[in-house]
Amino acid sequence: MKRKISIIGSTGSIGRQALEVIDKLEDKFEIRALTAGANTELLNEQIRKYKPKYAYAKNSSEISGTSLLSLEEICSDKENDIILVAVSGKIGLKPTVTAINNGIDVALANKETLVMAGDIVMPLAKINGVNIIPVDSEHCAIHQCIKDINQVEKLIITASGGPFLNKTVEDMKSATVSEALAHPRWKMGKKITVDSATLMNKGLEVIEAHHLFNMPYDKIDVVVHPQSIVHSAIEYIDGSVIAQVGLPSMHIPIQYAITYPERFVGIKSKSFRFSEIARLDFEVPDYKKFKTLKIAYDCGKIGGSMPICMNAANEEAVFAFLEGKIKLYDIAKIVENMLSRHTPMYNLSLDDIFELDNEIRIKTVEQLNVHA
């Protein structure tokens, strides 16, 4: 029997690659629904090819060839076996929660869901008996390595270091948008690529890992690994270290997440050969150069509303950088400034979280306008 899947964000980078995975596994999946934001042209092409039962886009009048539902209705459709949440930003939170409330497993490729509301999402998934399978290569690697979380001493998250690993602070201060988007290993969307350049992306992943695996922050390490061959590792209480390795390819973690707990022959970059890997380098991150990584650790440890404030301020600052309004190195300054003005709040509801997120974004934009 084919597994029924809906893809929230099918026109984005992860969504497109997920469809490539499904093409290879065409006898394993039935596409229940596809959704997009503004890219209705590509969504219509996908509808014609995959013939989903339902679709959603911001401008529904531009969609043809299938029945239209809201995001909430798609994520409430219990015919789904799994829903891939592949959108970026806070828009991924409500679909994830809706799917969980309807007992549907989630393949999660949205960082903001756990950064903003991990204290709500993970307990809710446990109550509803829902699997949250991470799509990020790092969290997917950890998921594959863990047999018994109670025997894990430490999580080791790897980072490529991005385009400025071997550059100076002065290089980062003068960096252009094109330089920040020139990631040496991964092809991703613009926002996440800028986050990778500042290492905020890794900070968000630390917060995600804390929630996904219920691991204290002092037992989550980040190590810079430029080759991106070791995708992450865990250390057990007996000192054994188990790592997941492979050539950089998002097809593999996407396939793992949507087929879990089974494995199938699918898309591979090519067979991995240790003999062809000349060297593997590892180093401690430069927390002075990559300030956002330390900011994320600090916010995670304080908890409550601090990660929400950090995430909202960072996202607006990244957008400003992409629009040429600020410099790359100003992003950390903007985030620090917003955090310094924020008093942590706890036990927030989802409505509280969205209200706070919106409030922080408004204040950040005001600060950016002053900065400009």
Side-chain angles (χ1 to χ4, degrees):
M1 183 179 294
K2 291 186 177 182
R3 202 172 197 200
K4 295 177 182 178
I5 184 172
S6 289
I7 301 176
I8 310 302
S10 64
T11 60
S13 176
I14 295 296
R16 295 195 306 271
Q17 291 180 81
L19 289 171
E20 291 170 0
V21 169
I22 290 170
D23 284 341
K24 182 71 175 180
L25 303 172
E26 57 182 4
D27 62 329
K28 307 293 184 186
F29 285 94
E30 175 188 326
I31 296 177
R32 186 77 176 167
L34 298 174
T35 83
N39 196 347
T40 52
E41 182 178 352
L42 178 55
L43 180 59
N44 277 320
E45 290 178 14
Q46 294 174 344
I47 290 170
R48 287 192 292 271
K49 179 176 180 179
Y50 296 101
K51 298 177 174 57
K53 188 173 181 64
Y54 304 112
Y56 163 83
K58 285 184 179 178
N59 191 346
S60 59
S61 64
E62 297 179 1
I63 301 303
S64 61
T66 190
S67 299
L68 298 175
L69 290 181
S70 68
L71 279 179
E72 183 176 359
E73 288 172 324
I74 288 172
C75 294
S76 300
D77 179 9
K78 295 185 180 182
E79 287 293 314
N80 284 296
D81 293 301
I82 190 165
I83 291 178
L84 170 60
V85 180
V87 291
S88 62
K90 64 180 180 181
I91 193 175
L93 177 52
K94 283 186 177 178
T96 302
V97 170
T98 301
I100 292 171
N101 281 330
N102 284 277
I104 305 167
D105 287 347
V106 175
L108 188 61
N110 175 273
K111 299 179 186 304
E112 290 79 6
T113 289
L114 296 183
V115 171
M116 294 174 66
D119 290 333
I120 294 175
V121 171
M122 294 310 296
L124 191 64
K126 186 175 182 180
I127 290 170
N128 285 278
V130 166
N131 290 311
I132 304 291
I133 307 107
V135 173
D136 274 354
S137 62
E138 296 82 2
H139 303 99
C140 180
I142 292 170
H143 192 275
Q144 292 181 67
C145 291
I146 292 176
K147 289 186 176 180
D148 182 356
I149 189 64
N150 295 316
Q151 295 183 342
V152 175
E153 176 63 24
K154 184 187 299 183
L155 306 182
I156 304 163
I157 299 176
T158 55
S160 70
F164 300 108
L165 174 61
N166 298 313
K167 303 289 186 178
T168 65
V169 169
E170 293 305 314
D171 291 327
M172 291 187 70
K173 287 181 177 179
S174 61
T176 64
V177 171
S178 60
E179 288 173 334
L181 294 177
H183 198 284
R185 296 291 175 185
W186 300 96
K187 186 177 181 180
M188 306 173 288
K190 289 184 179 180
K191 193 269 179 181
I192 191 174
T193 304
V194 173
D195 281 346
S196 294
T198 64
L199 284 200
M200 174 60 88
N201 191 48
K202 210 52 51 176
L204 297 175
E205 289 173 9
V206 167
I207 296 173
E208 281 186 276
H210 164 74
H211 290 294
L212 277 168
F213 306 110
N214 194 28
M215 188 65 62
Y217 284 98
D218 60 1
K219 292 190 175 183
I220 305 174
D221 285 352
V222 171
V223 60
V224 174
H225 169 49
Q227 293 87 0
S228 297
I229 297 297
V230 177
H231 297 299
S232 278
I234 62 173
E235 180 181 333
Y236 280 105
I237 55 177
D238 63 358
S240 297
V241 176
I242 309 295
Q244 191 265 330
V245 303
L247 296 172
S249 169
M250 281 308 299
H251 290 115
I252 295 172
I254 291 170
Q255 179 172 312
Y256 174 85
I258 66 175
T259 63
Y260 177 82
E262 297 182 87
R263 292 182 187 264
F264 302 98
V265 175
I267 297 176
K268 295 181 181 179
S269 300
K270 60 178 180 177
S271 295
F272 180 79
R273 298 178 185 275
F274 277 96
S275 59
E276 294 180 359
I277 305 300
R279 58 185 291 174
L280 298 176
D281 297 306
F282 302 93
E283 60 185 83
V284 176
D286 185 340
Y287 288 93
K288 291 183 178 179
K289 184 167 74 172
F290 298 108
K291 293 182 178 180
T292 56
L293 180 55
K294 184 179 186 303
I295 291 171
Y297 264 107
D298 291 343
C299 286
K301 290 175 181 177
I302 296 170
S305 61
M306 291 298 279
I308 302 167
C309 178
M310 178 198 73
N311 179 71
N314 174 72
E315 192 164 306
E316 293 301 326
V318 169
F319 292 154
F321 168 70
L322 288 170
E323 293 171 0
K325 295 179 180 178
I326 63 172
K327 296 293 187 181
L328 182 70
Y329 220 64
D330 292 331
I331 294 174
K333 295 177 183 177
I334 296 293
V335 174
E336 283 181 319
N337 189 283
M338 293 305 302
L339 289 168
S340 69
R341 296 157 57 184
H342 180 69
T343 301
M345 297 178 284
Y346 297 88
N347 301 315
L348 301 176
S349 67
L350 282 178
D351 288 340
D352 293 334
I353 289 171
F354 281 111
E355 183 178 343
L356 175 61
D357 174 85
N358 187 58
E359 177 185 320
I360 296 298
R361 288 173 189 275
I362 291 171
K363 290 180 179 178
T364 304
V365 171
E366 290 174 353
Q367 182 185 340
L368 286 165
N369 290 335
V370 171
H371 184 93

